[in-house]
Amino acid sequence: MKTETKKKNKGKKAMIVIASIIGALIILCGVFALINFIGYQSNRNFIKTIPAVEYENQLEPTVADDGYYTFVTDDNLRVMQLTDIHIGAGFMSIKKDTKALNAVAAMITAEKPDLVIVTGDIAYPVTFQSGTFNNKTSARLFAELMEQLGVYWAMTFGNHDTESYSYFDREEICDFYTSGEFSHCLLQAGPKDVDGEGNYIINVKNTAGKIVQSLIMMDSQAYKNNNNVFASVIMKYERIHDNQVEWYKNEVKALTSENGGEVPKSLFFCHIPLVEYKDAWTEYTQNNKQDTENAKLIYGDVGEKEDGIFCAEENCGLFDAALELGSTQGFFCGHDHLNNFKINYKGIDLAYGYSIDYLAYFGISKYGSQRGCSMIEINQDGSYTSTLENFYQDKYSTVKAKENVIMEPMTPIY
């Protein structure tokens, strides 16, 4: 009897311990959820303190007969490229999220672009750095910031916007952005029979109806086997799919027809660089960093570890299609936060944008030489120019928080 009683008592104690652990975990999750909510609301309140951008004559896009948003102007159009903003929206990233939102607001306020294009990774729901799996809260913070600023914006999806383990997938986040709640968001989901979310075009026309420039946005996908929860750890990047390349070719041909048979100039925006970025940089560096017949450096350098350019292993064929059609003058991407070069390869520009990231790369919040935006000037003759603009310039100083950062290039430690 004593043995049975002891066994029962041990069983009860074990149940009490298990129940206590479960209860503690529930309380801990509740505490984290509360802190997440408080931090999220504090950044929403911060956004409300930011004044709207003051334009003399702000251009307003309309939806044309082809279904695409169109800016009509006889003046040049100013586009700001932002990339890799990396808003965590969790209890571990509250202060860094505030800095990221402030940097975006400061540069947009000073530059007054007609259009902002974000080339991916608005959100960063990587739990051990942000403290949450919820990627919609990150999306909301950015969308509310752009509404507060009153600036038109478009975006392409990055690999982190919808991790395999985050709460919401690409279609759900796309539906959120395009729900009508955010009147300045020009994202379109794109055709359902084409892979990815956000394959679409924004046109720039003059008052005579000629297409001056087509801005082509494409979902460059995320990881191979993205349904696998460990896909983002393995970091094998997916390539743009064949039906996306066909969509690109068909759209350029349709725009040519709409343009009276004249092939319109275009710029292409995505998140993950094409394989040709690596090909061009390899050819340039193997020639002792001297221009070759194919690869001519315009500006910048590679800052990633071991000259890293983190693209797909397989070539998707998009660059070859661009060469064939003769429309696209340049590709703009993000993804590699420490790369900032622009190189002309076989007659087409391949460019990285400055990143915003305060969160993803360990220690990057302390460094500033890689943080900023790209300013793209679209001229009425169809040509364009682009420059990298560092966040820590004097022209942004009146609207940005002072930060003590190291302005030397960051040495990757990963």
Side-chain angles (χ1 to χ4, degrees), residues 5-226:
T5 302
K6 286 182 179 179
K7 286 182 179 179
K8 288 181 180 179
N9 289 337
K10 285 182 179 180
K12 288 180 180 180
K13 288 179 179 178
M15 290 297 293
I16 291 170
V17 170
I18 292 170
S20 298
I21 293 172
I22 293 172
L25 288 173
I26 292 172
I27 292 171
L28 191 61
C29 288
V31 170
F32 287 159
L34 179 61
I35 298 173
N36 276 347
F37 179 76
I38 292 171
Y40 169 59
Q41 288 299 327
S42 71
N43 273 318
R44 292 185 79 186
N45 290 333
F46 167 69
I47 288 169
K48 292 175 183 177
T49 67
I50 297 171
V53 176
E54 296 182 4
Y55 289 93
E56 289 186 12
N57 294 293
Q58 185 178 18
L59 289 176
E60 295 187 11
T62 57
V63 178
D65 293 339
D66 58 12
Y68 290 131
Y69 282 105
T70 301
F71 287 90
V72 178
T73 180
D74 289 326
D75 296 322
N76 293 352
L77 191 90
R78 285 168 52 80
V79 176
M80 174 185 286
Q81 180 203 5
L82 296 173
T83 195
D84 297 87
I85 297 169
H86 283 256
I87 301 170
F91 74 94
M92 296 173 68
S93 63
I94 297 169
K95 291 183 178 179
K96 290 179 179 179
D97 291 343
T98 307
K99 289 182 177 183
L101 293 165
N102 177 74
V104 170
M107 291 187 291
I108 291 175
T109 299
E111 296 289 357
K112 296 178 173 57
D114 298 301
L115 174 67
V116 173
I117 298 177
V118 188
T119 50
D121 283 3
I122 289 173
Y124 190 69
V126 177
T127 313
F128 71 92
Q129 288 175 281
S130 65
T132 183
F133 295 100
N134 191 341
N135 50 335
K136 187 181 282 187
T137 49
S138 306
R140 176 171 288 281
L141 284 174
F142 184 78
E144 289 186 350
L145 172 63
M146 296 306 292
E147 286 301 302
Q148 183 73 16
L149 290 168
V151 177
Y152 291 103
W153 64 284
M155 58 89 71
T156 67
F157 280 102
N159 53 300
H160 290 302
D161 284 300
T162 55
E163 297 282 4
S164 57
Y165 49 77
S166 55
Y167 287 165
F168 302 95
D169 63 22
R170 260 167 160 64
E171 184 176 0
E172 290 169 321
I173 295 297
C174 189
D175 288 345
F176 169 73
Y177 281 135
T178 59
S179 63
E181 182 178 354
F182 309 111
S183 61
H184 289 83
C185 178
L186 306 185
L187 167 66
Q188 292 181 314
K192 292 297 182 184
D193 59 348
V194 177
D195 293 342
E197 295 290 330
N199 302 304
Y200 64 109
I201 296 170
I202 296 173
N203 285 317
V204 182
K205 294 182 178 180
N206 59 26
T207 54
K210 179 183 176 181
I211 299 174
V212 175
Q213 193 78 236
S214 292
L215 308 174
I216 304 173
M217 264 61 70
M218 185 172 282
D219 184 351
S220 56
Q221 309 296 330
Y223 311 102
K224 285 187 173 181
N225 304 313
N226 198 48

Side-chain angles (χ1 to χ4, degrees), residues 401-414:
K402 295 294 183 182
E403 295 181 306
N404 295 318
V405 294
I406 301 168
M407 291 306 293
E408 297 173 1
M410 178 184 177
T411 301
I413 58 173
Y414 44 88

Side-chain angles (χ1 to χ4, degrees), residues 381-394:
D381 63 0
S383 63
Y384 86 98
T385 58
S386 68
T387 59
L388 290 175
E389 299 292 337
N390 185 268
F391 173 48
Y392 299 96
Q393 297 179 74
D394 289 343

